[in-house]
Structures are given as C-alpha cells and as structure tokens.
C-alpha cells in the first residue's frame, strides 16, 4: 500500500522532469535499532541515454565519490558489499522503472549516516547523485519536551516512534503517570516525505510538586521482543512557593544571632535579607544566612527575606527583639516654684521589656507605678511639704536605673508653736520660730518702748539663728514690768516674721511650765518661812543677849531682811542651833510639795543651811514679795516701759 502511494508523486515528477540526472530521497529518516528501515528512492537520467546492457545501481555510505572507496551498502551487479551490510540490505525498487528504494534489516546505531545512490546505465553513463538521505538509528524513542515547563500551565509531551519498517508496526505507552493530575492521552500517525512516524501525546497541568519527577515513554513492537524506553525528568518552573525563616526570637543586647532563609522555587531565586528599606545581604541560591553580631537596640525590628526568580516573588518576615535594661531616665530639671503652683513631672526611658516607672520622694512612694516608657506625676497646688528630692526609678527583669530632680517650694512665713515667752532666772525670755522659703527674717517689737529689737542692747539680749528654712529669734529681757492679775510679770512683745511672699506679726504670750511655776511658788513660800524663822531666831538671840549682858534694847525692825541675813551669818554658831529646831517644819513642807506636784527631785528641804543659801540665790532676785523699792527707783522705766529691772542682788 505504501509503495503505491509512493509511485503516484513519482509519476507526476517524471512527467514534469527535465532531461537531467536527478534523484529524490528523503532527507531524514529514522529507525529503531534491531529493526528495519526502507529508504524510498526515485532517480532520473537524460532522455537521450539508452541503457547499455540494462540499468544498474549502487548505494554508498558516507560519501558519493567512488574514488575514495566509500563502503558499499548495496550493488545490483554483484553481491560484494561492505562487511557491516552483508545480509542486511535489499533493493525493493525496480531500477528499470527508475525506482531505487533500499531496505536495510537489523540495523544498528553504527549504520546511522548519509546514504548516496549511483546510477549505472552502462558504458560512460554512470552518475552519483549528490543528494543523500540521512538515517538516524535510535536506541530509544524521542520525546518532544518544551523548552520551558511552567507550573499551573497546561503541558503537552509527545513521544515519537519511527514507522519505516514494513514488517513491524510500533505502539507507544506512557509510564509513571499515576501521580499526575488528570492526565490525557492521544496518538497520531504522521507521514511526511514518504517517512512515517507514530506519535503519542500526554497532556496535563503540572504543579510545583511535579518538579524533578520522572516520566517515561515506552515503544514496543507486538509479536517481537523489541522494547524501547525513554525517561525524562520534569523541570517545572514555578515562582517561590514557600520562604522559610527563623521564628521571631528574643536576644540580649550585645549577643549574636544567625538568621536563616530558605526559598522553594525553580529556578533558584535571588534571595535578599531586608531590614526596613535597607538590603543587608543577597545571593542567588536556594538558601542564605544573615549573621548579626554585637546586637544593639537599634537593630530590633522586622527582618524580611525576599525570594525572586523571575516567575514570581515571595517574602516572609520575622521580628527580632533585643532585650536590654532600662536606660537612665530623663526627668525635669530641678526647679523652684511658689506654693500653690501645679506641676507635671515627666519621666521617660527606654528598656525591653518596657520598664516599670516609680516616683519616689525622699525615698517614699508617691503617685502610681507605671508599666510604660513614660510616667507623668501630677502635683496639684503644691504645698511646702512638696519640697524635696523626687527620684524616678525604672526597672525591668534585666536591671534598673534612676534619675533625680529637686523641687524647691517657696512660701510665706509660718509661725511655729514653739514661739512664746517664758520666765527664766534672768528675767523673761521670748522665742520666735518661723519657717518659710526664703528663710524668714525675724524682728521683735516692744511697743511700750517704741523700739524694734534687732541687735544686742544693754537691757536685753537678742540673737537669731537659721537652720534650713527655719529661723529662730530669741530675746532675753532683763527688766520686769507690772504685775498681771495672776501675779506674774506683764510682757508686751510682738514678733514680726517676713520674706518676699508675706509678713505676719503676732503678740507672744507668756507661758510658764508647771514645774517652773511650782518652783517659784515653793521658793516664795520657802523664802517667807526662812525669813520668818530668821526673824524669830534673831529676836530670840537678842533677847538672850539682853539677859546675859544686862543691856536691854528695843526690838529690831527689818527693812531689808536679805541684808540682815547676811549680817546674821557672822554668828553661824548660835544660829545653827536654832535652825536645827526648824528642820521638822521644812520636812513637813517638802512632803506637802511632793503631794501637790508629784515631783521630789528638784528641791531640797528648806531647813538645811545649804538649802537656805541656794533658795536665796535662786529666788531673791525676783522680788515678788512686797519689798520697798530702792531709792531713786520706780515701777516704770524712763521711757514709760512696763518693764522694770530684773537682776540678781
């Protein structure tokens, strides 16, 4: 059948051919090893030539020039052929009909090459045609694979098997298709230039998972043992389908870390590590590692690995957290404010994890503890008690840090409770204490003297002392004034305290402690008792002396008992005898004093001589008894003051 199909075009060709030497053979033809192949051939020669003793032909292998002695494949005149073609070749065509078709059996790969035909019409009418047919002997079928196989795009693979052996018809099977998604199979028979090819087509849509997997085409000839196979590895191009990086991690400041990135793509991608908009490292590979040493908080953030292979882009990020202790907090500068001012103290720091911020004033907690990098302490209408050092303490699990600032509160003077006048041995002592910022100035005013006391004077002592924001002023008056209704001395002292924020003036009240008052009372009573006892003793002694000396005299009227007591000291021997009789009286008085005051350690019995002398020194200067004034002395000072001189005799 295939021979008849071959003759039809040849007849047309012969009809239109010119009278020249010419040949037609397929340029390319193929066959499987150990099978056979038929090379179709038709030739022409000039019409004026008459074959001499018949038409003969020769097939050469490799080249057309006989003088080079190419291997003879077939020769019609004799059976002399090349050793490799003995018993393998046969002329199927009729040379008289200009048909030079050649059959080669049991061919091997060594028979691949060019085949030339030479026409021999006898005599000088011989001609080797330059046209040739190139035979390809295959040991496995061909698979037509596209230059580029892209994932998710439909793919057709075609397996070809030559069908140029009349006695054997091939069949095609596909192997390793079980893992393919919905594969489709089809076959076709192609015939071109009198050569035939059987094709089998496999159609499917590849996925990235199919990259690198095997596919096979099997060609076999029924009723023979001839089987041929061809395996291919799928090279599926696909965009990055996964980018693997380290999980987000936490590292300490100053340490090192290695960030890994692997990209699954085909072909291998260009991998780059990015930190923000900055490219830190890149390479064309399937994986890449970024080394970070001596980490600082500035390197904390998002690190992104990007894979790009021309078929697509994919990226994955991780967060690198750099842990570190709190930095030194930033706080307000130290300030000076006026009482009643409202303030907002700011404390800011950095740390990872976020530190807790605590405000301390003079070591004590104030405000609330804040778990943040900023804390604001509100001080509303600050009072003097708000004066001091404020410290912001920042803490996290890796350490602590703090910063301090001082607030100085300025305020108007405030009089303290310790401000008062008291009776002392030398006279009256007035103390004025005040606190304020700036420290207050203290002045004493004596309205009855119409003077302001700010220095030492002969009639009074004055001094001031400052300790921090507290000022103390003290004045000692060595004069005594008129008596008040309760029997105490009258004082009229004003204390003035002032600074730049205000002034206050107060009248200092006379305050006497219970113990001191009782001492005055006891001293007074004791003095009266002693004087009365001395008078009685003197009278008794005088009476005895009168009797002994026989010189009667009148009773003595004491105008100045103290002076008289000094005179009596000259006769201590007689006086002591009389004084001993009064010890019982003194003891009884002390018992009464203990019951009244509850105190027993400050006063000695009045009856002893030593006690008598001490009582005289402590209390004689007060002149609270009704003694006559000295000559030239009055109850008021020259300037009209209510204060009289208070001094010891």
């Amino acid at each position: 059948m295939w021979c008849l199909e071959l003759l039809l075009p040849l007849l047309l060709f012969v009809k239109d051919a010119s009278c020249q030497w010419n040949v037609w053979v397929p340029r390319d033809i193929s066959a499987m090893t150990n099978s056979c192949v038929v090379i179709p051939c038709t030739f022409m020669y000039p019409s004026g030539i008459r074959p001499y003793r018949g038409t003969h032909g020769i097939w050469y292998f490799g080249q057309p020039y006989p003088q080079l002695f190419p291997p003879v494949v077939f020769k019609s005149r004799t059976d002399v052929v090349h050793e490799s073609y003995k018993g393998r070749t046969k002329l199927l065509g009729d040379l008289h009909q200009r048909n030079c078709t050649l059959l080669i059996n049991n061919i091997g790969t060594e028979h691949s090459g060019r085949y030339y035909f030479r026409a021999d019409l006898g005599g000088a009418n011989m001609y080797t045609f330059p046209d040739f047919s190139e035979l390809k002997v295959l040991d496995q079928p061909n698979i037509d694979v596209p230059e580029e196989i892209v994932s998710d795009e439909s793919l057709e693979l075609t397996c070809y098997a030559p069908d140029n052996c009349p006695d054997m018809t091939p069949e095609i099977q596909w192997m390793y298709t079980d893992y393919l998604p919905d594969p489709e199979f089809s076959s076709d028979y192609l015939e071109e230039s009198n050569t035939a090819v059987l094709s089998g087509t496999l159609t499917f849509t590849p996925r990235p998972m199919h990259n690198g997997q095997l596919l096979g085409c099997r060609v076999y000839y029924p009723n023979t043992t001839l089987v041929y196979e061809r395996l291919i590895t799928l090279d599926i191009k696909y965009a990055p389908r996964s980018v693997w990086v380290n999980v987000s991690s936490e590292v300490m400041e100053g340490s090192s870390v290695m960030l890994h990135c692997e990209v699954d793509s085909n072909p291998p991608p260009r991998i780059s590590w990015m930190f923000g908009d900055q490219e830190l490292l890149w390479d064309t590979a399937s994986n890449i590692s970024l080394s970070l040493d001596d980490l600082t908080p500035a390197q904390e953030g998002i690190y992104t690995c990007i894979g790009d292979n021309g078929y697509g882009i994919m990226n994955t990020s991780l967060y690198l957290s750099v842990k570190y202790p709190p930095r030194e907090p930033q706080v307000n500068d130290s300030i000076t404010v006026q009482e009643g001012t409202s303030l907002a103290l700011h404390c800011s720091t950095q740390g990872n994890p976020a530190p807790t911020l605590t405000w301390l004033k003079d070591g004590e907690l104030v405000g609330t503890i804040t778990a943040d990098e900023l804390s604001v302490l509100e001080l509303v209408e600050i009072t003097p008690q708000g004066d001091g050092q404020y410290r912001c303490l920042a803490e996290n699990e890796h350490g602590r840090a703090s910063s301090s600032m001082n607030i100085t509160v300025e305020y108007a003077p405030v009089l303290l409770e310790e401000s008062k006048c008291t009776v002392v041995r030398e006279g009256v002592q007035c103390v004025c204490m005040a606190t304020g910022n700036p420290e207050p100035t203290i002045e004493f005013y004596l309205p009855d003297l119409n003077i302001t006391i700010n220095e030492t004077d002969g009639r009074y002592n004055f001094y001031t002392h400052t300790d921090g924001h507290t000022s103390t002023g003290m004045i000692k008056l060595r004069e005594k004034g008129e008596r008040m209704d309760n029997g105490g001395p009258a004082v009229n002292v004003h204390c003035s305290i002032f600074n730049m924020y205000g002034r206050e003036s107060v009248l200092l009240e006379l305050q006497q402690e219970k113990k001191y008052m009782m001492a005055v009372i006891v001293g007074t009573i004791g003095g009266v008792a002693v004087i009365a006892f001395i008078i009685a003793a003197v009278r008794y002694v005088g009476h005895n002396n009168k009797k002994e000396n026989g010189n009667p005299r009148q009773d003595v009227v004491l105008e100045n008992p103290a002076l008289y007591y000094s005179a009596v000291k000259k006769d201590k021997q007689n006086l002591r005898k009389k004084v001993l009789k009064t010890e019982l009286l003194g003891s009884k008085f002390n018992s009464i004093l203990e019951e009244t005051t509850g105190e027993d350690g400050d006063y000695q019995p009045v009856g002893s001589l030593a006690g008598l002398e001490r009582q005289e020194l402590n209390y004689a200067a007060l002149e609270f008894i009704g003694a006559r004034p000295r000559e030239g002395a009055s109850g008021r000072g020259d300037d009209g003051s209510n204060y009289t001189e208070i001094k010891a005799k």
Side-chain angles (χ1 to χ4, degrees), residues 68-82:
L68 298 178
F69 304 103
V72 176
V73 176
F74 173 82
K75 189 173 185 181
S76 61
R77 285 184 180 273
T78 66
D79 294 333
V80 179
V81 296
H82 190 271

Side-chain angles (χ1 to χ4, degrees), residues 527-592:
V528 172
V530 170
I531 293 174
F533 172 76
I534 293 173
I535 294 174
V538 171
R539 286 181 177 179
Y540 179 75
V541 173
H543 180 68
N544 288 340
N545 289 338
K546 181 179 180 181
K547 289 182 178 182
E548 293 175 1
N549 299 329
N551 186 14
R553 54 181 296 182
Q554 295 179 351
D555 294 338
V556 179
V557 178
L558 295 178
E559 294 183 356
N560 195 330
L563 295 177
Y564 189 76
Y565 168 67
S566 299
V568 173
K569 289 182 179 179
K570 298 178 181 179
D571 194 8
K572 291 182 179 180
Q573 183 68 27
N574 293 329
L575 179 61
R576 183 176 290 109
K577 294 179 181 180
K578 301 301 181 179
V579 168
L580 293 175
K581 296 180 181 180
T582 64
E583 289 182 355
L584 293 175
L585 178 61
S587 298
K588 184 175 182 181
F589 177 76
N590 256 6
S591 299
I592 296 173

Side-chain angles (χ1 to χ4, degrees), residues 11 28 46 63 120 157 194 196 198 228 238 300 389 462 547 586 644:
L11 294 175
D28 297 296
Q63 55 185 342
D120 181 4
L157 299 178
N194 293 318
L198 179 66
Y228 310 91
Y238 57 93
E300 177 173 342
Q389 183 189 68
F462 170 80
K547 289 182 178 182
T644 59

Side-chain angles (χ1 to χ4, degrees), residues 30 150-151 209 219 264 286 332 338 350 528 544 556 571 612:
S30 59
V150 181
S151 174
M209 61 179 295
V219 175
D264 179 11
S286 60
N332 306 60
Q338 186 177 354
Q350 291 182 338
V528 172
N544 288 340
V556 179
D571 194 8
L612 181 62

Side-chain angles (χ1 to χ4, degrees), residues 608-625:
S608 65
L609 180 60
L612 181 62
E613 291 174 351
R614 183 172 64 84
Q615 295 295 338
E616 176 189 18
L617 292 176
N618 286 341
Y619 304 111
L622 295 178
E623 294 188 356
F624 287 155
I625 61 177

Side-chain angles (χ1 to χ4, degrees), residues 125-178:
N125 297 318
M126 292 182 295
Y127 185 82
T128 302
F129 297 97
D131 294 336
F132 60 86
S133 179
E134 185 164 357
L135 173 64
K136 294 180 180 179
V137 180
L138 308 176
D139 59 359
Q140 59 183 2
N142 285 327
I143 299 179
D144 186 7
V145 180
E147 292 184 1
E148 182 178 82
I149 303 176
V150 181
S151 174
D152 300 318
E153 295 183 5
S154 180
L155 172 65
E156 287 188 356
L157 299 178
T158 303
C159 179
Y160 296 97
D163 187 14
N164 294 307
C165 182
D167 297 333
M168 294 182 293
T169 301
E171 293 188 7
I172 297 176
Q173 288 182 338
W174 284 97
M175 301 182 296
Y176 310 118
T177 60
D178 294 341

